[in-house]
Amino acid sequence: MFATTVKTGGDVVSLACRKFNSHNDRPWLVWLHGLLGCSDEWLPLVNLCAQHPSLVIDLPGHGDSTDVQVKDLMDMSCLLSETLAEQQISKYWLMGYSLGGRIAMYHACYGDMRGLCGLQIEGGNPGLFSQQERSNRLEHDRNWAGRFRSQPIEQVLSDWYQQPVFADLLPEQRQRLIKVRRHNNGDGVANMLENTSLGHQPWLVPVLRQVRLPFAYLCGENDKKFQRLAKRCALPLQTVPHVGHNAHRANAVAFAAVVNHFLSLFNV
């Protein structure tokens, strides 16, 4: 199923999305994947959270939304709102991993919050505090974007998954990710990486503290970097046992147990 939105100026933009369990009369779970991912990776979670209706979305530059581009995080937030309106989703939770988590937090801080019931964020960075950190990150992301545009994607992915945040991956897990994600379009990934870079993102922590919504920050037990980040920023940390940064992929059952328990606290 495809959500079609019309932006100012008459340009038609489409985000690919699919609905599951829509017969259930509860707020929707809207799943936002990370960079290099796609909506399919959420299907095990959709099945494990089947008491809720779910919408899985392909972000711009990814999956069946390869040809969609956004200028920045605000543009992405508006496109998310338009997609939800097109799908007639009026009450929803945002469930976001990594880039998807950053989009969800930004949307809760600066987007159209009507109908937003809560957030469950997995390994999303709430921002960089100093201008120097943001400048360094912009340079980092531009360098990777240049590689995604100009080099064979398998070669780039081989180096991408050597970054410290993926240190918990076993060699066979790393190779499996490269195999799954080598079908990405390098230009689409590069555009999304640059235009929604953490270096462009505002420091969200003060605004997040003012958002009066249920909020869980999910983090793999072995993801020490993001656990430290969550504690330093006083984010409401929920730990998923025995997994690293990509917790939902490494152990969907344990991840879903944390998600469903948190939802149950709010009679959802």
Side-chain angles (χ1 to χ4, degrees):
M1 181 177 294
F2 293 86
T4 302
T5 62
V6 180
K7 307 202 89 176
T8 303
D11 297 327
V12 178
V13 179
S14 299
L15 272 184
C17 60
R18 286 174 290 163
K19 287 178 172 177
F20 296 89
N21 307 315
S22 55
H23 59 281
N24 289 332
D25 187 22
R26 295 185 180 191
W28 287 75
L29 306 183
V30 177
W31 303 88
L32 305 174
H33 61 76
L35 192 78
L36 295 163
C38 70
S39 58
D40 283 356
E41 72 180 60
W42 292 118
L43 297 185
L45 273 299
V46 168
N47 291 330
L48 290 164
C49 302
Q51 67 274 34
H52 302 275
S54 280
L55 182 78
V56 296
I57 293 176
D58 282 329
L59 293 179
H62 294 74
D64 290 327
S65 298
T66 302
D67 296 330
V68 180
Q69 289 191 46
V70 289
K71 300 189 299 289
D72 51 29
L73 283 164
M74 178 54 78
D75 202 22
M76 178 64 233
S77 178
C78 292
L79 184 53
L80 174 60
S81 293
E82 291 163 355
T83 300
L84 294 172
E86 177 69 22
Q87 295 300 318
Q88 299 182 324
I89 292 175
S90 58
K91 296 186 71 175
Y92 63 98
W93 286 67
L94 287 177
M95 324 292 288
Y97 165 66
S98 195
L99 169 61
R102 295 198 294 109
I103 290 168
M105 289 186 289
Y106 183 92
H107 183 77
C109 290
Y110 296 111
D112 182 353
M113 284 181 58
R114 286 175 296 181
L116 179 59
C117 300
L119 301 168
Q120 295 203 53
I121 305 303
E122 177 193 2
N125 197 318
L128 302 172
F129 186 72
S130 72
Q131 184 56 52
Q132 185 60 54
E133 287 177 302
R134 289 193 287 274
S135 296
N136 292 344
R137 182 56 182 246
L138 282 172
E139 181 179 2
H140 170 275
D141 288 350
R142 286 180 188 129
N143 288 337
W144 277 110
R147 292 192 61 188
F148 276 114
R149 289 191 179 102
S150 62
Q151 297 177 11
I153 195 163
E154 287 194 46
Q155 177 184 332
V156 184
L157 290 175
S158 180
D159 293 338
W160 179 267
Y161 287 115
Q162 295 293 335
Q163 294 181 95
V165 72
F166 302 113
D168 66 296
L169 290 174
L170 298 173
E172 57 267 27
Q173 293 173 315
R174 193 171 283 111
Q175 288 304 313
R176 199 175 306 125
L177 275 172
I178 293 170
K179 184 176 180 180
V180 168
R181 295 184 169 171
R182 67 186 177 185
H183 304 295
N184 274 287
N185 177 281
D187 287 333
V189 170
N191 291 335
M192 194 63 171
L193 178 59
E194 283 189 313
N195 295 343
T196 62
S197 170
L198 186 61
H200 290 309
Q201 179 182 308
W203 172 241
L204 298 177
V205 173
V207 187
L208 283 172
R209 288 177 180 156
Q210 302 302 314
V211 174
R212 300 302 179 195
L213 288 172
F215 177 22
Y217 190 86
L218 283 68
C219 190
E221 180 183 20
N222 301 328
D223 187 355
K224 301 305 181 187
K225 174 184 175 180
F226 278 84
Q227 283 195 54
R228 287 195 297 270
L229 177 64
K231 291 171 183 174
R232 187 168 72 246
C233 298
L235 301 176
L237 181 62
Q238 301 266 330
T239 303
V240 183
H242 312 307
V243 291
H245 183 61
N246 196 332
H248 73 269
R249 184 180 181 89
N251 192 337
V253 172
F255 188 88
V258 175
V259 166
N260 284 322
H261 174 70
F262 189 71
L263 291 170
S264 74
L265 299 177
F266 302 93
N267 297 315
V268 179

